[in-house]
């Protein structure tokens, strides 16, 4: 609980079977969209919490942080002291900074 790493990975949504299965490269699926994998890793134990969410906005990242901290607490990691991110757009919002402070973390 001393240091919690947060990151978001953008994943392309798969809507149907591709050409590697059926062999037909003439048809393409466009506009399937994206899904975002939010991940929290405890630095000491390497215990990981992840959720597949619809976007990477600040409000989504803030809610994810709260759920991750609650889950880590059930695993015996009661207090998060510091949060480390890549300073992506989701992590620089005022709501996210307030959530980090509410946890008592820096």
């Amino acid at each position: 609980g001393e240091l919690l790493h947060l990151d978001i990975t953008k994943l392309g949504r798969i809507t149907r079977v591709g050409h590697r299965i059926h062999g037909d490269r003439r048809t393409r699926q466009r506009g399937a969209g994206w899904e975002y994998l939010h991940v929290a890793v405890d630095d000491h134990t390497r215990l990981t919490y992840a959720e597949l969410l619809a976007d990477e906005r600040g409000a989504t990242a803030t809610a994810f942080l709260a759920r991750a901290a609650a889950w880590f607490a059930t695993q015996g990691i009661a207090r998060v002291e510091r949060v480390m991110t890549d300073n992506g757009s989701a992590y620089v919002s005022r709501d996210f900074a307030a959530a980090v402070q509410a946890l008592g973390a820096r």
Side-chain angles (χ1 to χ4, degrees):
E2 183 177 312
L3 179 62
L4 190 65
H5 296 261
L6 296 179
D7 200 8
I8 302 172
T9 300
K10 187 175 181 177
L11 304 171
R13 189 176 294 131
I14 299 172
T15 59
R16 64 184 177 101
V17 176
H19 73 274
R20 290 185 184 208
I21 301 296
H22 57 68
D24 183 7
R25 288 182 179 257
R26 293 175 294 170
T27 59
R28 296 193 125 179
Q29 179 67 30
R30 297 280 186 201
W34 302 96
E35 294 176 318
Y36 300 88
L37 183 64
H38 292 248
V39 180
V41 180
D42 176 56
D43 188 57
H44 179 71
T45 63
R46 296 295 184 201
L47 190 61
T48 304
Y49 176 78
E51 291 182 9
L52 194 60
L53 300 171
D55 59 46
E56 58 180 342
R57 295 187 178 127
T60 305
T62 301
F64 171 76
L65 175 62
R67 289 189 301 272
W71 184 81
F72 280 116
T74 65
Q75 303 301 311
I77 301 170
R79 183 168 180 259
V80 176
E81 294 177 17
R82 292 181 292 153
V83 176
M84 186 171 79
T85 69
D86 61 359
N87 291 329
S89 61
Y91 302 126
V92 295
S93 71
R94 289 184 181 144
D95 291 339
F96 188 80
V100 170
Q101 280 188 332
L103 288 174
R106 295 185 294 135

